Each structure stands twice: as structure tokens, then as C-alpha cells.
């Protein structure tokens, strides 16, 4: 239901007119309008929210023709309702009273203090501790796309430039962006529906105006302002400013906790497109089970939320600079060489809460007393950790993390001495400040705390003075404190008693002394709340003055957590330090898949060697049956390259790796029906993208190219692609195929080498050895794999007949096959082999029991 028209507006109460005026400024949000202890929603907001939240929809003026739809939620439990609305793709505008109702002349003034959107959440119970929560903004400059992102819960800022919509979209999906700001003129671009299909809960919002002309001091952190000066081009700078203006305008607060901008330019990091990210299952698995059984899952031995998020960032952005990679390797080596140091660091990190997200709440003004105490305890524990191990760190990387670590001792003492141990969630109801902090507060608390004993003493004194044994002093919210005397003793009432109310069988009175005490007690309660809030604000301001130092400390602690986690993984799973070289080489000894070896499996994992260089070949054609492990071997090679360039150790007994500039994978079959693209078309598009972007320094994994079309078409395409990679790109590549004819390419192109994932035939069965060996496979063993899958034996027998005829290369082999015989009569292949003979040949009598053998003999006699 829409809001009222102009005529009906005149009949509304002042409160509803105020509501509509505020709603007019936030038409794209559900307005939470504070009335007493509830957030109320009216008109169309009430109808929409009641359906999503499954709460009762009622109305004001029920008996009127102008009934107003209404629903509401208690303010103290609003967080859960807000989260549900946000998860449904809505924005919520929080409208609070901004003046004291007692001092208000007319209706209380209200304002929107914050707009909550999917991309601007800071509440811990609405966020995953290990996931960033990005708000993104996009702008086009020709074919190129500028992408700006901010996570206001941590202060992380990101700015990238991409050569196409496809690459920009891959970056957005890689990070699971929750909300995108886009100009209305760009809503028709192809990227928008694609983004919505890949990110189902994505919210598309409009970009607001440019930032006002200002230097940003007092609004942004110094680190951000310095990095902002490095932004190249007006388009990128304007986009970044619009993004942050949107964040500031909705949060009604400065963004002093923003970190320096993370730039993604050109070839700064190991390039990986979105498909590679999905195929390798780096942080999200392909079965919709979150991060379980991903590379992140295998590596995540972090002890803090800050470390978990930073580990994902290292996975997202492996390095290209060998010197920077070696600095990380040396840090791991130091911790591995001193197990007690590693254990001590991780034990110390366990005590830390999510300092980065506390800073987000601090900057946005949503922090509470529990957060400040948690911040103090975390900084205190971190200080102890740094002080204990500062002198122990000798590697340049670790020493750099703690060399200039700030001293927060005074801030911690101030917070912990001023705040109580048990703290409320609210900051306006008192109960936060410890005893001894404020003399005035202690006195007010004494008055409030001693109220009952004071009243009891006064009551006893008045009974003695008046000689009225039934005299009682009572309290209610309407009259406050009063003296009640039964009618039996009315004649004994003193002259200084002032009659207040007559009730059945009694009269109620007040005295000047009682009224004075009432004012003091009731005033004390209000003053306690106000004074505690003032003292809390001072503590909050003290923390705010240290935001920049705390942010730098949080980043250092998160990085230390990642290094310690990688060192622990390396120690527990026998990883080795890879040697990084400039040559185009990949030499792995006893290489293992980092994820599969940690998964519980009845089958023992088989390590493999892999050596690619100019002598042995840079393109390996890998043949072998399905299920033999071709994809595992190829994926583990790609993951080891990625791990090495993260600065991690790798799962192998030795590794020598030439730096890779881009990592590409084309694995598995899929289609994109929403875009009208078949499986084969998707395969060709992905392959074309790889061939266009790859360089001589890239590493490519291609699996079953040409599988989605006819045999000869597919084989021709696969041959041409492999030849192009080997002769034109000349990069390192693993190329798995079932087309055994491609093995002839190794005889024609020097850089191509044939490898197979070995199997062994035994007792008419195949055993998968999972071992990569030189040479091409002679067979695909597809029928044997089909038998393992449980296809009927009669069907498999027919398949073998067809295969033998096809492999005989007779002219018209397919036409001569004819339909399968329906009866046991001799078939077209009688001259070659009798079906009874074929059945007996496949029989394994040693597996039959005596009764089974006898039954089989009777069945065979019937067939004959």
C-alpha cells in the first residue's frame, strides 16, 4: 500500500507526517521509526516487512477509511529482524529520537542515524568472521572497467582496472561482493544480469554525487589519504570518491579507519581468472559446501579472524616479485626452525578478538562497552606477545611486523580500569563504568542503591512520630513516593502531610521531605545513565585517537597469524621450501595434492614427480583412463605453483619453480543455458580466452579439449590447440586427453612430451596406480570404468563387440553392426566369436560357490 495522497495528508497525525517526511528522503529503504521501545513501520514498508519477517500486520485508525498499515519490532531485539531484511536484499534506515522528549516542544525530533545495506554491515552476528564484506562501485572507460571496493567492517580499500567486463565480473565473484553501486545509465550493460545470476543475493544501488571539495582531514585515515594521492586518472579517483561518499552518507560517520588502498594494476600479482579460481577450488568448493575441502581449508591454521581473512587475501593475490616471496619464505623458515617459538606465537594469538572489525564499529560510532573491553584485552594480549618475542624474530619479514609496534599500555589500563568486568549491550542504560572512576557517579549510585534502606528508616521514623502503626511509604509510577494511612487513623495525620489521593479505606499523602528525596532518587537514576554515557564517550574518543596505530597493529597481527599458520601446515604435513628461479621450469619431486592428502580416504595418496623444462618438454600430453588421476596430477601442479608464489612451502620432497605470471585452467564440462551457450561453446570460449591472454611465462592446465563435439572435430581442435600452446605460446602446460592420436604430436614438436597416468590389468580388472609415467597410454579403459560404475554385464559385452569392430578399422564397421540380437541365436560376429564362448571366457569360476556353479551350468544348457 502506497502512502496517502495530498488530501489525506492533512488528516494524519503530526507523528505520521514526520514519518512521511523522513521516508521521502529514504525511499529505497525500509524505515525503522523509533517510537518508545519499538521500531515501527508504516504503509508499504509495513506490508513488505511483515511478509519477510513473518510478523503481524495491523493498522492505525482501524475503523477509518484511511487506515494505516502498521507493524513493529522491539528495539532491543531489532538486530535479528534487520539481518533478515538485509539478507532478503533490502536496505534498512534506522530513525531515532535525537532530542529529549521532556525538552521537546511539540513532537520529538527524529533523524535517520544510519542506513544499513548488504555491503555496509559491521555487526559481528551478521558477518562471517573469515570473509570480507565488500561494497563495490563500477565505472566504464571505453572497454575498460574500473572497480573500487571497500569493506567498512575492516577498513580495507581496493581499486582495480580491468580490460573487459568479463575480467571485472570475475573479480567481483571471486570476492563474493554483496552490493554494487552503478550509475543509472550503466544498468543496461551485460555485466549487470550476469552479476545477478552469479551472486543471487547481490543488491544493485545507484552511485551518489561526488565528494564535496575537502582535503579529507578528520574524515579519512592518513594512510588512506596518502594512497589516494597515488590514484591514476580522474575516472578512477571519481569512482573511489563516489563509493566512499555513499558509505559516509549512509553511515553518518567519518571513515577514519580506512587502510591504504590496495591497487591491482597490470601484472602486479599472479593472474587468475574466475574460472581458474573455481576449478582449483581455492576458497569455495564446487559442491556448495562453503570452504570445506578447499585450499583455504587445507591451509587455515590461523588463530584469529584477522588472520583468516588475510590468508584468503594471500590466496587471492599470490606474488610475482621473487624477492618479496623469499621474505615470506624466510619468515616461515624461522618459525619452522624453532617449534617452541611457533607454538608460543600461536598460543598468544588465540587470545585476540577481531580488532579490525572493532575499529570499523569504533569509526562508525556503533561500538559498545563490551567491544571496548574486548579491544583492551586484545591489545593487552598482543602487547605481551610482541614484548615476549620481539627480540626472538631475526628474519626481515617478522622483525618488520613488530619493529615499530605501538605501545598501547596506557590505553589498555585506562579502558580496563574504567569499565566493569560484566557489561551490557546497550550504552544508554548505565552499568558500564567501574566504581572509583567518578566521585559523582559513586555518590549517585549510593543514593540509588541505598534507597530501600532510606525509605524503610523514614517509614519507621514517621510511625513513631505520628503514632500510626499502619503507616506505609509506597511508590508507583504515577504518583511517585507517597504515605498511605488507613481511615481508621485519619485523625492522627500531622498537619505537614499534604493529601494526594483518596482510595478505598485509606488516604495517600506526601511531605516536603519525601518529595525532596523522590526528586533526588529519581534524578539520580537519570543522571547515572547520562554520566555513564558521558564517561563512555570519553573512552570511545580515547580509542578513536589511536585508530591509525591500532589499524597498523591489527594488520601486523593478522599477517603474523598467516605466517604462523603456513609454518604449522608445513611442519605437520612435511612441506618443503621451493626454490624460485627465473628459468621456465617446474621440477617437483614426490609432489602431493595439498587438499586430497588431508581428506580421509581409504586409498593411500601416491606422490608424483614432474619435471618440465626446455629439455624434457614444456607441454605434457597426459593420457590414461578416467578415474586414474589425471585431473589430480594437473591440479596439484597448479596449486603448488600458487602456494610457492604465496610465499608458502609446498607439499613435495623438493621443488624448483620458475615464476609464473598467469595461471589458467580449463577443467570439466559445463554449460550456460541463461546465455544460450552449450557445453561445447563454453569450452571453446574458455579456451579462446586462455589462448588470447596467456604469455610465455604462464602455466596452463587443459583437460579434455574437444570432448563436446564429434570425434574427428574434437580431435582436430585438440591437436590444433596443443600445437598452438607448444609452438606459439611456448609456455608450461599440462594437456590431458583421451585422443591417443595426439601422442604423435610429440614426434613433431620438440617441446611436447607424452605422459600417462599408469594402470595395471590383473585378472580381467584394472588397478589405478595413480602414478605419472613417461609415454602415452595405449587404451582408455572406458569399458572397464563403466563396469566399475555398475553397468549391466550384457551391455558391457555388447560394447566390447562394438569396440573390437571399430578398432579393426573395417570399412563400414558401424553400418555392419546392425541391431543387437534379441535371442541367443548366433549373431553377426559368429565367425569371429560365439557369444557362449565370449561368456565363458569372461566367467571367473573361482568366484562361484558350488550351488552358483550348478545353477549357471543349467542356465548355459538352456542357452545352447
Amino acid at each position: 500500500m502506497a502512502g496517502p495522497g495530498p488530501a489525506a495528508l492533512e488528516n494524519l497525525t503530526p507523528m505520521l507526517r514526520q514519518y512521511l517526511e523522513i521516508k521521502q528522503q529514504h525511499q529505497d529503504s525500509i524505515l525503522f521509526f523509533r517510537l518508545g521501545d519499538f521500531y515501527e513501520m508504516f504503509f508499504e514498508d509495513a506490508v513488505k516487512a511483515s511478509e519477510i519477517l513473518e510478523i503481524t500486520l495491523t493498522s492505525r485508525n482501524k475503523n477509518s477509511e484511511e487506515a494505516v498499515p502498521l507493524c513493529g519490532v522491539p528495539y532491543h531485539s531489532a538486530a535479528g529482524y534487520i539481518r533478515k531484511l538485509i539478507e532478503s536484499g533490502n536496505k534498512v534506515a534506522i530513525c531515532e529520537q535525537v532530542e529529549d522528549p521532556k525538552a521537546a516542544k511539540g513532537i520529538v525530533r527524529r533523524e535517520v542515524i544510519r542506513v544499513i545495506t548488504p555491503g555496509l554491515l559491521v555487526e559481528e552476528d551478521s558477518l562471517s568472521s573469515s570473509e570480507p564484506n565488500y561494497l563495490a562501485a563500477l565505472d566504464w572507460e571505453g572497454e575498460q572497467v574500473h572497480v573500487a571496493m571497500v569493506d567498512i567492517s575492516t577498513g580495507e580499500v581496493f581499486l582495480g582496472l580491468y580490460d573487459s567486463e568479463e575480467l571485472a565480473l570475475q573479480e567481483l565473484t571471486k570476492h563474493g561482493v554483496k552490493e554494487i553501486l552503478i550509475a543509472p545509465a550503466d544498468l543496461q550493460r551485460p555485466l549487470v544480469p550476469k552479476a545477478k545470476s552469479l551472486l543471487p543475493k547481490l543488491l544493485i544501488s545507484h552511485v551518489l554525487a561526488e565528494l564535496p571539495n575537502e582535503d579529507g582531514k578528520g574524515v579519512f585515515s592518513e594512510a588512506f589519504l596518502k594512497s589516494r594521492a597515488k590514484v591514476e586518472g580522474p575516472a578512477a579517483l571519481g569512482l573511489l570518491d563516489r563509493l566512499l561518499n555513499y558509505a559516509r552518507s549512509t553511515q553518518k560517520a567519518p571513515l577514519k579507519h580506512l587502510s591504504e588502498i590496495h591497487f591491482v594494476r597490470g601484472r602486479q600479482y599472479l593472474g587468475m581468472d574466475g574460472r581458474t579460481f573455481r576449478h582449483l577450488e581455492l576458497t569455495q568448493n564446487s559442491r556448495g559446501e562453503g570452504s570445506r575441502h578447499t585450499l583455504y581449508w587445507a591451509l587455515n591454521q590461523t588463530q584469529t579472524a584477522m588472520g583468516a581473512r588475510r590468508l584468503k587475501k594471500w590466496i587471492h593475490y599470490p606474488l610475482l616479485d621473487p624477492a618479496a616471496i623469499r621474505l615470506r619464505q624466510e619468515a616461515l623458515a624461522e618459525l619452522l626452525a624453532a617449534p617452541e617459538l611457533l607454538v608460543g606465537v600461536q598460543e598468544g594469538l588465540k587470545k585476540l578478538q577481531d580488532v579490525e572489525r572493532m575499529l570499523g564499529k569504533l569509526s562508525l560510532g556503533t561500538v559498545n562497552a563490551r567491544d571496548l573491553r574486548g579491544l583492551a584485552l586484545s591489545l593487552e594480549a598482543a602487547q605481551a606477545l610482541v614484548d615476549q618475542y620481539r627480540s626472538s624474530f631475526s628474519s626481515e619479514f617478522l622483525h618488520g611486523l613488530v619493529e615499530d609496534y605501538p605501545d598501547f599500555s596506557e590505553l589498555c589500563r585506562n579502558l580496563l580500569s574504567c569499565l566493569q568486568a560484566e557489561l551490557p549491550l546497550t550504552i544508554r542504560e548505565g552499568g558500564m563504568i567501574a566504581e572509583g572512576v567518578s566521585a559523582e557517579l559513586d555518590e549517585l549510585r549510593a543514593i540509588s542503591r541505598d534507597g530501600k534502606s532510606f525509605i524503610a528508616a523514614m517509614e519507621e521514623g514517621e510511625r513513631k512520630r505520628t503514632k500510626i502503626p499502619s503507616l506505609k511509604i509506597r511508590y508507583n509510577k504515577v504518583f511517585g513516593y507517597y504515605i498511605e494511612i488507613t481511615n481508621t487513623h485519619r485523625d492522627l495525620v500531622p498537619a505537614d502531610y499534604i493529601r494526594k489521593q483518596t482510595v478505598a479505606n485509606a488516604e495517600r499523602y506526601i511531605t516536603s521531605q519525601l518529595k525532596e528525596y523522590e526528586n533526588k532518587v529519581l534524578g539520580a537514576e537519570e543522571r547515572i545513565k547520562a554520566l555513564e554515557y558521558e564517561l563512555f564517550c570519553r573512552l570511545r574518543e580515547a580509542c578513536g585517537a589511536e585508530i591509525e596505530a591500532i589499524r597498523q597493529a591489527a594488520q601486523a597481527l593478522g599477517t603474523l597469524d598467516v605466517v604462523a599458520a603456513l609454518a604449522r601446515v608445513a611442519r605437520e604435513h612435511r612441506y618443503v621450501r621451493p626454490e624460485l628461479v627465473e628459468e621456465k621450469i617446474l621440477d617437483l619431486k614426490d609432489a602431493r595434492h595439498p587438499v586430497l592428502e588431508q581428506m580421509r580416504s581409504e586409498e593411500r595418496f601416491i606422490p608424483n614427480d614432474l619435471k618440465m623444462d626446455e629439455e624434457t618438454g614444456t607441454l605434457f600430453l597426459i593420457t590414461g583412463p578416467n578415474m586414474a588421476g589425471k585431473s589430480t596430477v594437473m591440479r596439484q601442479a597448479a596449486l603448488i605453483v600458487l602456494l610457492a608464489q604465496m610465499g608458502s612451502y609446498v607439499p613435495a620432497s623438493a621443488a624448483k619453480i620458475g615464476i609464473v605470471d598467469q595461471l589458467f585452467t580449463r577443467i570439466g564440462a559445463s554449460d550456460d543455458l541463461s546465455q544460450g551457450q552449450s557445453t561445447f561453446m563454453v569450452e571453446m570460449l574458455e579456451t579462446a580466452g586462455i589462448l588470447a591472454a596467456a604469455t610465455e611465462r604462464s602455466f596452463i592446465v587443459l583437460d579434455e579439449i574437444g570432448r563436446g563435439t564429434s570425434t574427428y572435430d574434437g580431435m582436430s581442435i585438440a591437436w590444433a590447440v596443443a600445437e598452438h600452446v607448444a609452438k606459439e605460446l611456448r609456455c608450461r602446460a599440462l594437456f590431458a586427453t583421451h585422443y591417443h592420436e595426439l601422442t604423435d604430436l610429440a614426434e613433431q614438436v620438440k617441446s611436447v612430451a607424452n605422459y600417462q597416468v599408469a594402470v595395471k590389468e590383473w585378472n580381467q580388472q584394472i588397478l589405478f596406480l595413480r602414478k605419472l609415467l613417461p609415454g602415452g597410454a595405449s587404451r582408455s579403459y572406458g569399458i572397464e570404468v563403466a563396469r566399475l560404475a555398475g553397468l549391466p554385464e550384457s551391455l558391457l559385452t555388447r560394447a566390447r563387440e562394438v569396440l573390437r569392430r571399430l578398432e579393426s578399422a573395417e570399412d563400414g564397421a558401424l553400418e555392419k553392426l546392425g541391431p543387437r540380437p534379441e535371442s541367443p541365436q548366433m549373431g553377426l560376429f559368429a565367425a569371429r566369436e560365439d557369444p557362449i564362448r565370449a561368456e565363458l571366457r569372461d566367467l571367473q569360476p573361482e568366484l562361484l560357490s558350488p550351488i552358483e556353479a550348478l545353477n549357471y551350468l543349467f542356465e548355459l544348457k538352456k542357452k545352447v
Side-chain angles (χ1 to χ4, degrees):
M1 176 181 177
L9 209 64
E10 298 179 1
N11 299 324
L12 293 178
T13 64
M15 183 274 294
L16 280 177
R17 285 201 292 273
Q18 183 188 51
Y19 170 88
L20 289 171
E21 289 172 2
I22 296 173
K23 175 64 181 176
Q24 183 67 26
Q25 301 168 24
H26 299 277
Q27 296 184 42
D28 61 345
S29 303
I30 293 176
L31 185 62
F32 269 38
F33 192 78
R34 180 70 177 270
L35 286 175
D37 291 339
F38 280 80
Y39 286 120
E40 302 286 3
M41 290 153 276
F42 300 95
F43 301 109
E44 65 272 16
D45 279 2
V47 176
K48 185 176 184 179
S50 65
E51 293 177 358
I52 297 172
L53 301 176
E54 298 178 334
I55 58 178
T56 302
L57 179 69
T58 182
S59 64
R60 295 173 69 94
N61 307 327
K62 289 184 180 180
N63 300 322
S64 167
E65 295 180 359
E66 294 153 359
V68 176
L70 161 70
C71 70
V73 299
Y75 87 96
H76 60 271
S77 60
Y81 296 104
I82 293 172
R83 182 170 63 252
K84 196 169 183 179
L85 290 171
I86 296 299
E87 289 173 351
S88 300
N90 295 284
K91 301 179 182 180
V92 177
I94 307 298
C95 182
E96 295 281 4
Q97 297 176 177
V98 292
E99 69 174 334
D100 186 348
K102 296 177 181 177
K105 296 180 180 179
I107 190 167
V108 176
R109 187 162 58 89
R110 293 179 175 86
E111 291 178 1
V112 169
I113 62 165
R114 184 184 170 207
V115 178
I116 305 174
T117 77
L120 292 171
L121 287 168
V122 294
E123 292 76 14
E124 291 95 331
D125 57 355
S126 300
L127 297 171
S128 167
S129 62
S130 64
E131 295 280 353
N133 191 67
Y134 283 119
L135 166 71
L138 305 181
D139 195 14
W140 279 257
E141 192 170 10
E143 294 297 319
Q144 293 183 317
V145 185
H146 292 278
V147 177
M149 296 194 296
V150 63
D151 180 357
I152 65 164
S153 72
T154 63
E156 187 178 11
V157 185
F158 173 103
L159 188 61
L161 176 62
Y162 300 90
D163 292 333
S164 67
E165 284 193 1
E166 181 67 20
L167 293 175
L169 181 60
Q170 288 168 1
E171 194 69 31
L172 297 173
T173 55
K174 179 194 297 184
H175 294 290
V177 170
K178 304 298 189 299
E179 182 180 358
I180 294 177
L181 307 181
I182 193 169
D186 291 321
L187 288 174
Q188 303 305 315
R189 291 186 181 269
L191 180 146
V192 176
K194 289 182 180 179
K196 286 184 176 179
S197 67
L198 292 171
L199 301 164
K201 294 185 178 181
L202 180 69
L203 177 66
I204 302 291
S205 302
H206 296 302
V207 179
L208 300 184
E210 300 280 351
L211 277 170
N213 292 325
E214 56 177 281
D215 59 9
K217 290 181 179 177
V219 177
F220 302 122
S221 70
E222 292 182 12
F224 170 77
L225 290 174
K226 288 178 181 177
S227 60
R228 183 178 179 274
K230 300 176 185 177
V231 177
E232 298 175 357
L237 187 59
L239 178 68
L240 183 64
D241 285 353
R242 290 195 297 273
L243 171 69
L244 298 178
N245 187 42
Y246 176 83
R248 286 175 53 201
S249 65
T250 54
Q251 303 311 293
K252 314 293 183 182
L255 304 176
K256 295 182 180 179
H257 66 304
L258 296 186
S259 66
E260 63 274 11
I261 301 168
H262 176 66
F263 291 101
V264 177
R265 300 191 187 102
R267 298 292 180 226
Q268 185 180 2
Y269 300 100
L270 171 65
M272 290 183 290
D273 59 23
R275 295 183 185 91
T276 298
F277 222 77
R278 293 194 299 275
H279 292 159
L280 294 180
E281 297 183 295
L282 299 181
T283 58
Q284 293 290 319
N285 69 40
S286 59
R287 298 170 299 282
E289 300 171 347
S291 62
R292 181 173 172 78
H293 296 159
T294 63
L295 179 64
Y296 166 76
W297 169 83
L299 300 178
N300 187 25
Q301 296 278 8
T302 59
Q303 306 299 309
T304 71
M306 300 174 289
R309 291 192 297 270
R310 192 158 295 270
L311 173 59
K312 286 187 176 180
K313 189 171 180 179
W314 281 29
I315 294 172
H316 287 167
Y317 300 105
L319 304 175
L320 291 183
D321 182 6
I325 297 171
R326 291 188 186 102
L327 286 177
R328 292 181 178 182
Q329 289 181 337
E330 289 164 6
L332 265 67
E334 180 179 355
L335 293 179
L336 283 168
E340 70 288 347
L341 177 62
L342 173 58
V343 171
V345 167
Q346 288 207 303
E347 286 298 317
L349 289 167
K350 280 182 182 178
K351 302 172 184 177
L352 308 187
Q353 298 181 32
D354 197 341
V355 175
E356 279 183 327
R357 284 196 165 150
M358 287 179 186
L359 289 183
K361 296 171 71 176
L362 182 63
S363 178
L364 298 172
T366 61
V367 72
N368 61 31
R370 289 188 186 181
D371 295 324
L372 293 191
R373 180 172 171 79
L375 176 63
L377 292 172
S378 296
L379 292 178
E380 188 177 57
Q383 192 78 53
L385 173 67
V386 171
D387 290 345
Q388 182 177 358
Y389 296 112
R390 191 195 304 265
S391 59
S392 301
F393 293 150
S394 58
S395 66
E396 182 179 344
F397 192 87
L398 291 180
H399 184 69
L401 293 178
V402 299
E403 181 180 12
D404 297 320
Y405 190 86
D407 186 348
F408 299 110
S409 302
E410 185 177 346
L411 177 64
C412 292
R413 282 195 298 271
N414 187 26
L415 290 173
L416 294 176
S417 64
C418 290
L419 293 171
Q420 296 193 36
E422 298 295 328
L423 293 161
L425 286 171
T426 62
I427 58 175
R428 298 275 188 176
E429 303 300 321
M432 301 178 291
I433 306 301
E435 297 285 341
V437 174
S438 166
E440 181 185 359
L441 180 61
D442 292 345
E443 181 182 356
L444 291 168
R445 282 175 173 165
I447 293 172
S448 178
R449 183 172 56 246
D450 298 339
K452 288 184 179 180
S453 57
F454 182 89
I455 291 296
M458 179 182 285
E459 185 179 74
E460 184 62 28
E462 288 301 302
R463 282 177 184 169
K464 291 179 179 178
R465 182 170 78 91
T466 62
K467 310 296 185 185
I468 302 174
S470 63
L471 183 149
K472 294 179 180 178
I473 298 180
R474 292 179 174 173
Y475 173 85
N476 66 34
K477 291 184 179 181
V478 177
F479 294 111
Y481 286 101
Y482 58 85
I483 299 171
E484 185 171 284
I485 298 175
T486 60
N487 291 336
T488 305
H489 302 99
R490 184 185 300 173
D491 295 340
L492 299 177
V493 173
D496 60 336
Y497 276 31
I498 304 170
R499 193 169 65 84
K500 191 70 176 177
Q501 185 185 27
T502 300
V503 294
N505 301 322
E507 294 285 343
R508 292 175 176 175
Y509 303 88
I510 61 172
T511 67
S512 57
Q513 183 188 13
L514 187 59
K515 199 65 181 174
E516 181 182 349
Y517 178 76
E518 176 185 289
N519 292 336
K520 191 173 184 180
V521 170
L522 297 183
E525 291 292 338
E526 293 301 317
R527 178 57 184 152
I528 286 171
K529 294 176 182 179
L531 184 54
E532 285 209 49
Y533 180 70
E534 290 175 18
L535 294 170
F536 168 78
C537 288
R538 291 180 197 170
L539 294 175
R540 186 172 63 186
E541 289 170 6
C543 294
E546 299 287 344
I547 276 185
E548 181 66 18
I550 298 173
R551 182 189 61 77
Q552 292 177 7
Q555 289 184 342
L557 294 167
T559 302
L560 177 61
D561 196 7
V562 174
V563 174
L566 294 178
R568 180 172 170 181
V569 171
R571 186 185 69 179
E572 292 181 354
H573 299 284
R574 309 181 326 284
Y575 284 17
V576 298
R577 178 174 178 172
E579 180 186 355
L580 299 174
V581 296
E582 291 297 328
E583 294 81 18
K584 198 167 56 176
I585 186 172
L586 179 61
D587 188 0
L588 307 176
K589 303 293 185 186
D590 299 318
R592 312 183 307 274
H593 194 293
V595 180
L596 292 182
E597 74 168 351
Q598 291 190 39
M599 295 169 61
R600 292 183 178 179
S601 174
E602 295 180 359
E603 184 176 355
R604 186 172 65 88
F605 190 89
I606 307 298
N608 271 294
D609 296 345
L610 183 68
K611 185 175 182 181
M612 308 179 79
D613 57 26
E614 297 293 348
E615 294 297 323
T616 60
T618 54
L619 186 146
F620 283 10
L621 277 170
I622 304 176
T623 49
N626 285 319
M627 296 175 58
K630 297 191 302 295
S631 292
T632 298
V633 169
M634 295 192 299
R635 281 186 169 99
Q636 79 185 28
L639 289 173
I640 286 174
V641 169
L642 187 150
L643 281 169
Q645 294 191 209
M646 278 174 56
S648 172
Y649 281 30
V650 300
S653 62
K656 187 176 183 180
I657 301 172
I659 294 293
V660 170
D661 66 349
Q662 296 178 93
L663 190 59
F664 296 102
T665 63
R666 154 93 277 285
I667 299 174
S670 62
D671 53 30
D672 189 348
L673 298 180
S674 66
Q675 301 298 317
Q677 296 172 351
S678 66
T679 301
F680 182 63
M681 175 58 79
V682 171
E683 177 186 319
M684 291 298 97
L685 287 171
E686 292 183 1
T687 304
I690 292 171
L691 298 181
T695 72
E696 189 175 355
R697 302 293 308 184
S698 299
F699 186 82
I700 301 177
V701 172
L702 295 171
D703 189 17
E704 303 300 346
I705 295 298
R707 182 166 51 181
T709 185
S710 69
T711 301
Y712 293 123
D713 277 354
M715 189 188 306
S716 303
I717 292 171
W719 182 290
V721 169
E723 191 174 58
H724 179 83
V725 172
K727 297 175 69 175
E728 303 298 328
L729 295 178
R730 301 191 302 278
C731 62
R732 286 157 289 179
L734 299 175
F735 193 110
T737 184
H738 278 292
Y739 297 130
H740 299 126
E741 294 79 1
L742 265 64
T743 57
D744 293 342
L745 188 61
E747 300 176 5
Q748 304 178 26
V749 182
K750 179 184 177 182
S751 61
V752 177
N754 287 321
Y755 276 79
Q756 61 176 305
V757 180
V759 298
K760 181 178 178 63
E761 293 186 75
W762 180 79
N763 197 24
Q764 297 187 3
Q765 297 186 36
I766 57 171
L767 302 176
F768 299 115
L769 302 183
R770 315 295 189 194
K771 197 69 178 175
L772 187 67
L773 299 174
S778 60
R779 295 177 55 194
S780 290
Y781 299 94
I783 294 175
E784 285 75 7
V785 173
R787 182 179 60 78
L788 291 175
L791 267 64
E793 187 61 37
S794 58
L795 184 152
L796 298 174
T797 299
R798 176 62 170 169
R800 292 189 188 99
E801 294 172 357
V802 175
L803 178 62
R804 279 194 295 271
R805 175 56 60 90
L806 292 174
E807 289 180 340
S808 70
E810 295 180 13
D811 292 337
L814 287 174
E815 289 81 354
K816 293 179 182 179
L817 287 174
R820 177 174 180 168
E822 296 295 333
S823 66
Q825 67 184 17
M826 303 297 279
L828 294 175
F829 291 80
R832 187 176 181 92
E833 183 174 28
D834 186 291
I836 299 297
R837 289 176 181 273
E839 189 172 340
L840 286 171
R841 187 197 65 219
D842 293 337
L843 179 67
Q844 300 180 47
E846 69 275 11
L847 300 180
L848 298 178
S849 67
I851 189 65
E852 288 173 335
L854 185 61
N855 289 334
Y856 181 76
L857 186 59
F858 276 112
E859 290 297 322
L860 197 61
K861 189 175 187 303
K862 287 181 183 179
K863 292 180 181 180
V864 173

